[in-house]
Amino acid sequence: MIQEFAKKHNLPKYRIDQFNQQFFQQAIESFDELSNWGKDLRDSLKEEVEFMVLEQDRVFESENKDTVKVLFKRKDGQRIETVLMRHHNNRNTVCVSCMVGCPVNCSFCATGKMGFGGNLSAREIVDQVMFFQRRLVKQGKKVTNVVYMGMGEPMLNLPEVQKSLEIFTDPSKLGMSSRRFTISTSGYIPQFRQLIKDGYRGKVAISLHAPNQELREELMPVAKLHPLGKLMKALDEYVELTNKRITYEYVMISDVNDQPKHAKQLAALLSGRLAHVNLIPFNPIKEEVYERSSGNSIQRFKRSLENVGIPVTIRATMGDDVDAACGQLADRENKHHTGIKIGNL
Ligand code: SAH
Ligand code: SF4
C-alpha cells in the first residue's frame, strides 16, 4: 500500500520503515498518528492512500467475551465477516475471510449456501487482521495467530492469500512467524501444490469430513474434481517434504458421517500418516436439515481413532451465540451473488 506512494514522492527507505513500524507494529488508529512524519507528508498520504479499505459495519461480541465477530462492508457494498477468538493462554487468533461467500458449495456450510460474491484483495485480508491488532495493542496484547478459515476457499484466491501472508510475515511489517498461520482448504490439489512449492511452511488443515470418496462427494462437490486418493497422495508428499503434521477437519453430523463404520474407515485412512484429527461438532445453519452429532457419538468416534494412535481434539464451539462458529459465516444482507457454483469454475 505504501510502495506506490513512496515511489511517487521519492521517499527514502527509512520513511517506509517508519511507516511500517507505526502502522503495523504500533497499530496506529489513523495516519494522523504517524508522529515521525511531517504534517505535509501526512496530509498527502491521507489524500492518496486509504487507511482501511474495509469499513466496519457491525461488531458482535459473545456473551462470555471470548469471541468477537465483525461485519465489514466492502466498497461494492457486500459484507464479509471476521472473527477474533481470545484463548485463555494469551493466544489471540483472527479467523480471516478470503472471499465474499464461497463457490465450493459444501452441503453443510452456510458460507457455501451464499454463493460466490468475489475474491478479496490482499489489502482486504490484511485490513481484517489490522482491525483486531489495533484493538488488542490498546490492551497491551496482539494478534498471535491467523487462520484462513473464514468465508471462502483460500486455494481459489491463492495469489491474494499469498500476498497477505507476505505482509504478515515480513519482519518490517507484522513479522509473524510462519508457525502462526493455518490455511484450511477443502482440497484443491494443484493450488495446494503451488502453495507449498512457493515455500509456505505454516500449518495446513484439510477439510476432510468423510472417510471415503462416495460420502465425500455427497458432502463436498470439490471431491468430484479432486478425488480422495489423489488428495492423500499430495498430502503425503507435503509431509515427506516438511515432516509437518496435517490437521484433518471432520465435521460431526448426526447419522451422516459419525457412525462406527465411518470412524473405522477414517482410522484406516489415517493410520501410519502424520495426522491430527479435529472433530468439529456441526454448527446448525438455517438452510440444512443436518443435526449435530450427540456428545456420546463424538466421544465414541474420538476413542476409535485414538485406539489406533491418531491424536484427536474436539473443536471448542466458540461464538455460536453470535453466529461466528465454523461454517456459520454468512451475511444475509449480501444480495449480489452471481451464484457461481463449482461446476462453473
Ligand atoms: N474453505 C475452507 C476454509 C473455511 S471453512 C475449508 O473448507 O477448509 C472452515 C472450517 O469450517 C472447514 O473445515 C469447514 O468445513 C468447517 N465448516 C463448514 N460448515 C460447518 C458447519 N456448519 N459446522 C461446523 N463446521 C463447518
Ligand atoms: Fe467453501 Fe469451506 Fe464452506 Fe466448503 S466449507 S463451502 S470450501 S467455505
Side-chain angles (χ1 to χ4, degrees):
M1 57 189 280
I2 190 70
Q3 265 71 26
E4 255 173 62
F5 179 83
K7 216 170 178 185
K8 183 172 165 210
H9 294 265
N10 223 350
L11 297 186
K13 185 179 170 297
Y14 79 92
R15 284 283 183 217
I16 302 177
D17 291 342
Q18 286 173 336
F19 174 89
N20 285 338
Q21 215 274 329
Q22 296 209 300
F23 185 82
F24 290 106
Q25 285 162 29
Q26 287 178 27
I28 53 174
E29 298 273 344
S30 80
F31 288 147
D32 288 322
E33 292 177 27
L34 264 178
S35 54
N36 43 21
W37 278 26
K39 186 170 181 317
D40 287 351
L41 194 54
R42 259 189 345 238
D43 285 345
S44 315
L45 182 69
K46 272 161 59 184
E47 255 169 48
E48 294 169 39
V49 180
E50 278 179 288
F51 188 73
M52 278 223 4
V53 294
L54 292 174
E55 189 187 313
Q56 174 190 327
D57 188 356
R58 295 164 73 187
V59 179
F60 307 84
E61 194 152 26
S62 65
E63 216 169 304
N64 62 5
K65 305 226 180 299
D66 66 0
T67 308
V68 184
K69 179 172 93 169
V70 180
L71 193 62
F72 288 109
K73 194 166 146 194
R74 300 181 82 202
K75 290 269 182 295
D76 64 4
Q78 298 194 96
R79 279 146 175 103
I80 56 146
E81 297 181 333
T82 311
V83 181
L84 170 73
M85 288 160 285
R86 285 191 266 239
H87 300 276
H88 298 300
N89 50 4
N90 259 338
R91 247 187 326 130
N92 295 301
T93 302
V94 177
C95 176
V96 293
S97 291
C98 64
M99 291 178 171
V100 183
C102 182
V104 183
N105 202 24
C106 300
S107 65
F108 46 81
C109 174
T111 309
K113 300 283 172 206
M114 291 171 58
F116 176 57
N119 282 333
L120 301 193
S121 65
R123 180 73 211 275
E124 287 173 311
I125 299 172
V126 171
D127 268 5
Q128 296 172 59
V129 171
M130 287 311 299
F131 175 87
F132 286 111
Q133 180 77 344
R134 290 182 197 115
R135 282 173 74 117
L136 288 165
V137 161
K138 270 204 218 138
Q139 304 160 18
K141 299 182 178 133
K142 60 181 180 177
V143 174
T144 59
N145 296 69
V146 175
V147 297
Y148 289 76
M149 293 188 180
M151 287 180 174
E153 167 51 50
M155 293 306 107
L156 295 182
N157 186 15
L158 191 57
E160 298 303 308
V161 163
Q162 287 180 306
K163 270 188 237 162
S164 69
L165 281 165
E166 271 167 36
I167 294 172
F168 295 140
T169 51
D170 184 336
S172 67
K173 294 176 183 159
L174 279 178
M176 293 170 71
S177 142
S178 63
R179 286 177 295 120
R180 303 293 190 164
F181 297 89
T182 304
I183 292 189
S184 177
T185 175
S186 53
Y188 284 83
I189 300 171
Q191 293 88 338
F192 175 72
R193 286 214 160 97
Q194 187 64 46
L195 176 74
I196 303 310
K197 191 162 163 255
D198 291 343
Y200 176 76
R201 292 296 177 266
K203 297 195 175 94
V204 170
I206 299 294
S207 288
L208 192 67
H209 306 318
N212 62 60
Q213 175 65 16
E214 198 190 343
L215 182 57
R216 197 157 188 270
E217 272 186 27
E218 240 174 70
L219 301 177
M220 309 174 71
V222 56
K224 292 192 191 94
L225 274 179
H226 299 294
L228 188 56
K230 288 197 173 142
L231 178 62
M232 296 313 291
K233 187 167 174 285
L235 297 174
D236 288 346
E237 285 167 20
Y238 165 77
V239 172
E240 179 87 1
L241 178 76
T242 62
N243 205 29
K244 282 184 197 291
R245 193 178 293 274
I246 288 176
T247 295
Y248 291 87
E249 296 161 288
Y250 196 99
V251 61
M252 295 294 287
I253 310 174
S254 180
D255 291 335
V256 173
N257 65 354
D258 67 344
Q259 297 299 299
K261 68 169 185 208
H262 300 120
K264 220 168 142 191
Q265 285 175 7
L266 186 60
L269 181 71
L270 298 183
S271 77
R273 291 187 148 107
L274 202 52
H276 162 249
V277 174
N278 193 213
L279 299 176
I280 315 175
F282 171 70
N283 292 310
I285 59 171
K286 291 196 177 79
E287 299 85 342
E288 251 323 317
V289 289
Y290 295 140
E291 279 176 28
R292 178 182 289 185
S293 305
S294 68
N296 277 346
S297 324
I298 299 177
Q299 288 301 337
R300 188 180 57 200
F301 201 93
K302 180 172 186 266
R303 276 196 303 275
S304 329
L305 295 170
E306 284 171 344
N307 285 344
V308 296
I310 300 168
V312 184
T313 45
I314 299 172
R315 186 170 295 177
T317 305
M318 291 176 83
D320 51 354
D321 57 341
V322 287
D323 271 357
C326 304
Q328 290 186 320
L329 301 185
D331 174 42
R332 283 158 231 288
E333 287 163 58
N334 275 330
K335 290 190 183 73
H336 308 293
H337 298 305
T338 56
I340 295 174
K341 299 282 190 251
I342 194 64
N344 304 94
L345 283 180

